[in-house]
Amino acid sequence: MIKKLFQNIGPGTLIAAAFIGPGTVTLCTLAGVNFGFNLLWAMLLSIIATIVLQEMAARLGIISQKGLSEVIREEIKIPFLKWFVTILILSAIVVGNASYEAGNISGAILGLETIFGKLILNIDSLSINLMSLVIGVIAFILLYIGNYKFLEKALVTLVLVMSVSFLITAIVTKPNVLELLKGMLIPRFPEKSLLTIIGLIGTTVVPYNLFLHASLVKERWNKTEDLKLARKDTIISIILGGLVSMAIIVSAAAVPFKDISNAADLAEGLAPLYGEFAKYFLALGLFAAGITSAITAPLAAAYVARGCLGWKGNMKSKSFRMVWIVILFLGVLFSSIGIKPIEIIKFAQIANGMLLPVIAGILLWIMNKKNILGDFVNTKTQNILGFIILAISIFLGAKGILKVFNFI
């Protein structure tokens, strides 16, 4: 039974691995520390929205046997519009993932340092964090092998480690189940919580995952009969990912003091209350969250670049490898010497803020085209849910851009 379940789990787990990165872990930590269980409903809303959009991306990949960026390039006929959308996608995902990669690697480092301590090499005035090189080498090996099944197994294992680590930590804190259910099912807006709510939704409904999912499912499945398996994989994996995010919020809500800024602080804060093993479980989860995102971010960027630019070849082709190697290299470089490319990150945040509503709109348009999907176009219910999510994504995108310019 369990073996059969894991045989059919694959691309969806990689999507869960991608959206639970250090940024999500940190945001969930702050949500729990500052607002207790009150924002769990926002995470539940995010999970539902993610399942709806990712199911569309998976269905598109299986039926068309093309990635989302390839379909966009072929279907948008107006030259200016095609140029604008292509530049926006490449800016948000290739440039964006390159600037966020240092954060992914740094998150994995925080997890390792909580357990093993710091490993710094000082050369004159330059300090190099050797842990980032370790993370970079692990990610490089997994990506360079270029075998989808091997990569899938490695990431599924890491996601399971992450899930078990965070869920055990949450259980150890013995949360009040009635309060937890209230937090999930009754929307509440505590004072100064709006930006955190936007952040929780924004770090779960991730634009690059739509591209990654459509590309990954065709590596695994190629028949219409496989749609049922893909749906089950998507729903189970994203619910699991959502439970992980909720477990982090629950764990953070258990800490009585507020001077916590990230998951490493949370691990240290839990130790005197619930024992050292709580600290180690949380640190292990943070490491797994960082390294899975450090692998999926370059992978997504490579798939997007290949689709947008019309490159041929597979995961072992030179052009595909060139993209993820550059992104991984920049991530290792920036995280090892502690540089934060603020302007590039701001640019990427603006591009991502614009991209989610644009891609959600384009995806809805494509999912209703019979020439691509035949009988597998969206149902009326899927379209209604899609348009609600589109409205939310426009709101999120606008808020995200305003935040970058410090207007809110």
Side-chain angles (χ1 to χ4, degrees):
M1 173 76 180
I2 292 174
K3 189 178 179 183
K4 191 177 178 183
L5 177 70
F6 282 107
Q7 277 177 344
N8 294 323
I9 284 184
T13 317
L14 274 67
I15 300 308
F19 78 69
I20 306 170
T24 305
V25 174
T26 300
L27 201 60
C28 289
T29 299
L30 296 174
V33 167
N34 295 322
F35 306 107
F37 298 158
N38 288 323
L39 302 187
L40 286 172
W41 65 269
M43 189 49 63
L44 183 62
L45 179 69
S46 306
I47 295 162
I48 294 165
T50 305
I51 288 171
V52 172
L53 290 179
Q54 295 298 155
E55 188 279 332
M56 289 184 199
R59 187 163 20 113
L60 176 67
I62 291 170
I63 301 300
S64 70
Q65 285 296 293
K66 292 173 184 173
L68 178 55
S69 49
E70 293 168 71
V71 175
I72 289 171
R73 186 167 50 85
E74 291 171 7
E75 290 300 315
I76 297 178
K77 307 297 183 189
I78 303 165
F80 169 75
L81 191 58
K82 183 187 286 192
W83 175 84
F84 170 75
V85 172
T86 301
I87 294 292
L88 182 59
I89 292 168
L90 288 170
S91 299
I93 295 175
V94 179
V95 176
N97 285 5
S99 58
Y100 300 145
E101 183 68 354
N104 293 331
I105 292 168
S106 298
I109 291 166
L110 275 177
L112 285 180
E113 286 181 346
T114 304
I115 300 170
F116 301 110
K118 293 183 184 292
L119 191 61
I120 306 290
L121 176 66
N122 292 307
I123 303 171
D124 292 329
S125 59
L126 188 67
S127 291
I128 299 170
N129 192 325
L130 296 178
M131 288 286 195
S132 59
L133 301 179
V134 173
I135 304 294
V137 168
I138 294 169
F140 182 89
I141 291 167
L142 289 171
L143 285 165
Y144 195 83
I145 288 167
N147 180 303
Y148 171 72
K149 285 188 177 176
F150 176 81
L151 184 62
E152 182 183 89
K153 283 178 183 173
L155 284 169
V156 166
T157 303
L158 283 166
V159 168
L160 287 172
V161 168
M162 172 173 68
S163 306
V164 171
S165 298
F166 285 130
L167 289 170
I168 287 175
T169 308
I171 291 164
V172 163
T173 64
K174 296 177 183 173
N176 182 315
V177 176
L178 187 62
E179 288 300 316
L180 194 150
L181 289 172
K182 277 185 188 174
M184 279 177 62
L185 302 174
I186 302 170
R188 282 178 280 196
F189 298 83
E191 194 181 343
K192 297 182 180 177
S193 66
L194 184 61
L195 285 181
T196 307
I197 292 166
I198 292 166
L200 287 173
I201 298 169
T203 59
T204 310
V205 188
V206 183
Y208 88 71
N209 274 346
L210 298 170
F211 293 90
L212 184 60
H213 206 172
S215 295
L216 289 176
V217 288
K218 62 189 180 69
E219 302 271 0
R220 178 73 180 264
W221 295 301
N222 54 24
K223 301 190 292 290
T224 55
E225 299 82 56
D226 295 328
L227 278 172
K228 194 179 284 186
L229 292 174
R231 279 198 186 102
K232 191 184 287 184
D233 168 53
T234 300
I235 292 166
I236 290 171
S237 299
I238 290 168
I239 287 174
L240 181 64
L243 286 173
V244 169
S245 296
M246 287 181 176
I248 299 164
I249 294 173
V250 169
S251 301
V255 179
F257 42 87
K258 304 289 183 186
D259 55 336
I260 286 175
S261 59
N262 57 46
D265 292 346
L266 176 59
E268 295 293 349
L270 286 173
L273 295 167
Y274 303 103
E276 283 293 312
F277 66 96
K279 163 183 165 179
Y280 292 126
F281 274 119
L282 198 72
L284 191 61
L286 182 58
F287 163 73
I291 198 161
T292 50
S293 292
I295 293 165
T296 52
L299 188 66
Y303 274 122
V304 164
R306 188 176 76 179
C308 283
L309 302 172
W311 295 340
K312 302 298 176 190
N314 56 22
M315 288 175 72
K316 293 183 179 179
S317 64
K318 283 184 180 177
S319 54
F320 190 91
R321 280 178 169 167
M322 177 186 70
V323 175
W324 66 252
I325 284 172
V326 168
I327 287 171
L328 183 59
F329 171 76
L330 289 173
V332 171
L333 178 69
F334 291 143
S335 67
S336 63
I337 56 180
I339 293 176
K340 290 183 180 176
I342 301 298
E343 294 307 315
I344 300 172
I345 289 171
K346 278 187 177 179
F347 170 75
Q349 285 173 332
I350 293 164
N352 267 296
M354 291 170 64
L355 184 65
L356 181 56
V358 169
I359 293 305
I362 290 172
L363 183 62
L364 273 173
W365 170 62
I366 289 169
M367 296 310 293
N368 285 282
K369 289 176 79 73
K370 278 199 170 271
N371 65 310
I372 298 171
L373 291 149
D375 294 334
F376 297 96
V377 291
N378 272 0
T379 63
K380 194 176 282 186
T381 304
Q382 286 169 325
N383 278 330
I384 290 167
L385 288 170
F387 278 111
I388 292 169
I389 294 164
L390 176 60
I392 293 169
S393 71
I394 291 168
F395 174 73
L396 284 175
K399 286 282 187 182
I401 292 166
L402 289 172
K403 189 182 174 187
V404 169
F405 289 110
N406 295 319
F407 291 135
I408 55 172

